[in-house]
Amino acid sequence: MASLPIRILDVVVNEAEVVPELDRRGGGQRLAVLAAERLEGEQPQQWAQALASRALRLVEPEVVGDHLVEGAGTAVVLVEDGLHLRLDVDQQVVKLAHAVHAPRVPEVDPTVSRARLYKTEAIVLRSMDLGEADRVLTVLTPRLGKLRVIAKGIRRPRSRLGGGLEPFSDVHLVLAVGRTFDVVTQAALEDPHLGLRDDLHSTAAAWYVVELADRFCEGTAESHQAFELLAQALAALDAAPAEVSREIVARWFELHLLEAMGFRPELGQCLDCGIEIEPDGNAYSPVAGGVVGPECSHGALGMRPISAAALKVMRHLQRSSLTEVLRLRVPGATQREVEHLLHASVSAVLERELRSRDFLDEVALRGIPAPA
């Protein structure tokens, strides 16, 4: 069988010039690469002219193949591992699932081992039974946003998690990273808010503020302010009915949650012209989010008249802390007007009605007396 000719490309390099350049001891001469073509059995030939039309650059410190070329006085740092996530001393735990805090957690090499447990404080917003013994919980955390976690076996009689993971409860959780839902491995009860279950009026108000927080907080969105506001509202509603006004707590929570979420109602200046609002003749627009003066009031944007008393109450609630308004007493007509205005604002922002509103209205309509 006749042998086939094989063409071989030879690259001839002057070693005497290359090595000094790599060691930084050369005289700065530029290198030429010569290429020749030969058949099998022929001797290599060296061409007078290089095939490359442009001159080569001087060799700079770099990695050539598997060898590190280091210039004199050049410090080379080898990075062996990617970024690591850590648990700080304040227990400010960063969850390792990308779906929860991708905006705040840097990308890490998937080959780097990851911790599987993390801790967080949480308020249980709602729950849903799953299977024969499990329960899916929706919780609001101060740093990780709103999470959906699973408590396995919680409905069994001997479950250690038991009654601590009920709606309205403030708990400390230890969670294990899971595929679909993270798994509750431990739970420590911070405040069960048992008083909310003894009074139907307090229960209805608690369901309302919890649903508000649930609807306004989505996924991994910043939730620190919403968590603090909800914790304060539930603690206030947990007090004896004679010590607090549940309606005032709900109105205070609405105003401050709107502000925390970026929808603060404008109550001091006209939305249209910007002049200071006078006491009388004003209108309130839930869609636009504030008050307009008599000269700018019109039928658009769902304008509603607002009395001087209602405007004064809303301004006071907006600028005051919860402890300053717990014992505030407001006439029934003014209280209902403020409730309707803020309810319209919340509905305009969420673009939906809250189911707990029906429960609140039913409790108020039946006139169920509060316990003494």
Side-chain angles (χ1 to χ4, degrees):
M1 181 176 180
S3 60
L4 297 175
I6 301 175
R7 295 186 178 275
I8 301 175
L9 179 66
D10 288 344
V11 178
V12 181
V13 181
N14 189 345
E15 182 178 357
E17 293 179 356
V18 174
V19 174
E21 287 295 334
L22 293 178
D23 293 338
R24 291 292 187 180
R25 294 194 299 269
Q29 301 175 358
R30 295 187 179 273
L31 307 179
V33 177
L34 304 180
E37 194 177 76
R38 64 185 173 90
L39 296 177
E40 185 181 14
E42 293 183 355
Q43 295 299 321
Q45 298 178 6
Q46 182 169 343
W47 289 10
Q49 298 294 332
L51 296 180
S53 60
R54 58 187 179 86
L56 301 179
R57 295 182 297 110
L58 293 179
V59 178
E60 297 294 335
E62 58 180 342
V63 175
V64 179
D66 296 330
H67 304 281
L68 179 65
V69 180
E70 181 179 352
T74 304
V76 179
V77 180
L78 298 180
V79 181
E80 298 179 353
D81 298 324
L83 296 175
H84 292 273
L85 305 180
R86 65 183 184 276
L87 170 65
D88 62 26
V89 294
D90 294 330
Q91 301 297 320
Q92 297 183 2
V93 183
V94 177
K95 185 183 174 185
L96 303 183
H98 289 287
V100 174
H101 21 251
R104 298 190 293 274
V105 177
E107 293 292 336
V108 295
D109 188 347
T111 61
V112 177
S113 61
R114 296 183 177 183
R116 294 199 47 87
L117 296 178
Y118 64 98
K119 298 179 182 179
T120 183
E121 185 180 3
I123 296 177
V124 182
L125 303 179
R126 50 191 168 92
S127 62
M128 178 186 67
D129 292 343
L130 180 66
E132 296 182 356
D134 302 338
R135 182 171 291 162
V136 177
L137 307 173
T138 301
V139 299
L140 182 65
T141 67
R143 301 180 184 91
L144 306 180
K146 188 172 67 173
L147 306 178
R148 296 191 71 191
V149 300
I150 184 171
K152 294 188 175 182
I154 189 175
R155 292 154 57 198
R156 294 194 180 101
R158 296 187 178 182
S159 173
R160 292 181 300 174
L161 300 177
L165 297 179
E166 295 294 329
F168 313 147
S169 297
D170 189 346
V171 294
H172 290 272
L173 300 177
V174 178
L175 299 168
V177 177
R179 291 186 178 181
T180 304
F181 301 112
D182 291 348
V183 182
V184 179
T185 60
Q186 297 180 33
L189 193 59
E190 177 72 18
D191 191 344
H193 296 132
L194 295 178
L196 298 176
R197 297 166 175 83
D198 297 334
D199 176 23
L200 189 58
H201 293 268
S202 298
T203 303
W207 276 119
Y208 178 65
V209 297
V210 162
E211 187 178 6
L212 270 179
D214 188 10
R215 298 304 181 190
F216 271 98
C217 299
E218 292 295 337
T220 61
E222 178 61 38
S223 59
H224 184 70
Q225 286 184 286
F227 180 88
E228 289 188 346
L229 293 174
L230 181 60
Q232 293 180 44
L234 291 177
L237 294 172
D238 192 24
E243 298 179 0
V244 298
S245 171
R246 293 179 294 266
E247 293 79 8
I248 291 297
V249 173
R251 304 292 82 76
W252 178 90
F253 182 77
E254 289 169 337
L255 278 169
H256 286 262
L257 185 62
L258 285 170
E259 180 176 353
M261 296 295 108
F263 300 98
R264 174 188 171 96
E266 177 55 58
L267 304 176
Q269 297 178 340
C270 176
L271 287 175
D272 195 8
C273 62
I275 64 172
E276 293 292 329
I277 292 294
E278 298 295 333
D280 299 319
N282 303 303
Y284 183 82
S285 172
V287 177
V291 181
V292 292
E295 295 80 6
C296 305
S297 178
H298 48 78
L301 300 178
M303 296 290 183
R304 305 184 180 191
I306 181 173
S307 65
L311 181 59
K312 185 182 297 185
V313 170
M314 292 175 66
R315 285 177 173 176
H316 180 60
L317 293 176
Q318 191 178 61
R319 65 172 176 262
S320 302
S321 64
L322 182 57
T323 56
E324 296 173 339
V325 299
L326 285 178
R327 296 180 178 272
L328 181 65
R329 303 300 175 184
V330 179
T334 303
Q335 182 172 285
R336 287 189 294 272
E337 181 183 359
V338 173
E339 179 182 356
H340 292 158
L341 293 176
L342 290 180
H343 171 56
S345 294
V346 169
S347 300
V349 173
L350 295 178
E351 298 182 350
R352 63 185 301 172
E353 293 292 335
L354 300 179
R355 292 177 295 179
S356 55
R357 287 290 311 177
D358 298 334
F359 185 30
L360 272 173
D361 295 340
E362 185 177 357
V363 171
L365 182 63
R366 294 187 178 185
I368 301 176

